[in-house]
Coordinates of all heavy atoms in Angstrom, one line a residue:
C924 N 20.0 -7.9 -31.3 CA 21.1 -7.4 -30.5 C 22.2 -7.0 -31.4 O 22.7 -7.8 -32.2 CB 21.5 -8.4 -29.4 SG 22.6 -7.6 -28.2
D925 N 22.7 -5.7 -31.3 CA 23.8 -5.2 -32.2 C 24.8 -4.6 -31.3 O 24.5 -3.5 -30.7 CB 23.2 -4.2 -33.2 CG 24.3 -3.8 -34.2 OD1 25.3 -4.5 -34.2 OD2 24.0 -2.8 -34.8
N926 N 25.9 -5.2 -31.1 CA 27.0 -4.7 -30.2 C 26.5 -4.4 -28.8 O 26.8 -3.3 -28.3 CB 27.6 -3.4 -30.8 CG 28.6 -3.8 -31.9 OD1 29.3 -4.8 -31.8 ND2 28.7 -2.9 -32.9
G927 N 25.7 -5.3 -28.3 CA 25.2 -5.1 -26.9 C 24.1 -4.2 -26.7 O 23.6 -3.9 -25.6
S928 N 23.5 -3.7 -27.9 CA 22.4 -2.8 -27.8 C 21.2 -3.4 -28.5 O 21.3 -3.9 -29.6 CB 22.8 -1.5 -28.5 OG 21.6 -0.6 -28.6
W929 N 20.1 -3.5 -27.7 CA 18.9 -4.1 -28.3 C 18.0 -3.2 -29.1 O 17.8 -2.0 -28.8 CB 18.0 -4.7 -27.1 CG 18.5 -5.9 -26.5 CD1 19.2 -6.0 -25.3 CD2 18.5 -7.2 -27.0 NE1 19.5 -7.3 -25.0 CE2 19.1 -8.1 -26.1 CE3 18.0 -7.8 -28.2 CZ2 19.3 -9.5 -26.3 CZ3 18.2 -9.1 -28.4 CH2 18.8 -10.0 -27.5
C930 N 17.5 -3.8 -30.2 CA 16.5 -3.1 -31.1 C 15.3 -3.9 -31.1 O 15.3 -5.1 -31.2 CB 17.1 -3.0 -32.5 SG 15.9 -2.4 -33.7
L931 N 14.1 -3.2 -30.9 CA 12.8 -3.9 -30.8 C 12.1 -3.6 -32.2 O 12.1 -2.4 -32.6 CB 11.9 -3.4 -29.7 CG 12.2 -3.8 -28.3 CD1 13.6 -3.6 -27.8 CD2 11.2 -3.2 -27.3
I932 N 11.6 -4.6 -32.8 CA 10.9 -4.4 -34.1 C 9.4 -4.8 -33.9 O 9.1 -5.9 -33.4 CB 11.5 -5.3 -35.2 CG1 13.0 -5.0 -35.3 CG2 10.9 -5.0 -36.5 CD1 13.8 -5.8 -36.2
D933 N 8.5 -3.9 -34.3 CA 7.1 -4.3 -34.1 C 6.5 -4.9 -35.4 O 7.2 -5.0 -36.4 CB 6.3 -3.0 -33.7 CG 6.1 -2.0 -34.7 OD1 6.3 -2.3 -35.9 OD2 5.8 -0.8 -34.4
T934 N 5.2 -5.2 -35.4 CA 4.6 -6.0 -36.5 C 4.5 -5.1 -37.8 O 4.3 -5.6 -38.9 CB 3.2 -6.5 -36.1 OG1 2.5 -5.4 -35.5 CG2 3.3 -7.7 -35.2
S935 N 4.7 -3.8 -37.7 CA 4.7 -2.9 -38.9 C 6.1 -2.7 -39.4 O 6.3 -2.0 -40.3 CB 4.1 -1.6 -38.6 OG 2.9 -1.7 -37.9
G936 N 7.1 -3.3 -38.7 CA 8.5 -3.2 -39.1 C 9.2 -2.0 -38.5 O 10.3 -1.7 -38.8
H937 N 8.4 -1.2 -37.7 CA 9.0 0.0 -37.0 C 10.1 -0.5 -36.0 O 9.9 -1.5 -35.3 CB 7.9 0.8 -36.3 CG 8.4 2.1 -35.8 ND1 8.5 3.2 -36.5 CD2 8.9 2.4 -34.6 CE1 9.0 4.2 -35.8 NE2 9.3 3.7 -34.6

Side-chain angles (χ1 to χ4, degrees):
C924 192
D925 185 15
N926 279 330
S928 174
W929 283 105
C930 168
L931 283 56
I932 305 175
D933 71 19
T934 46
S935 312
H937 187 87

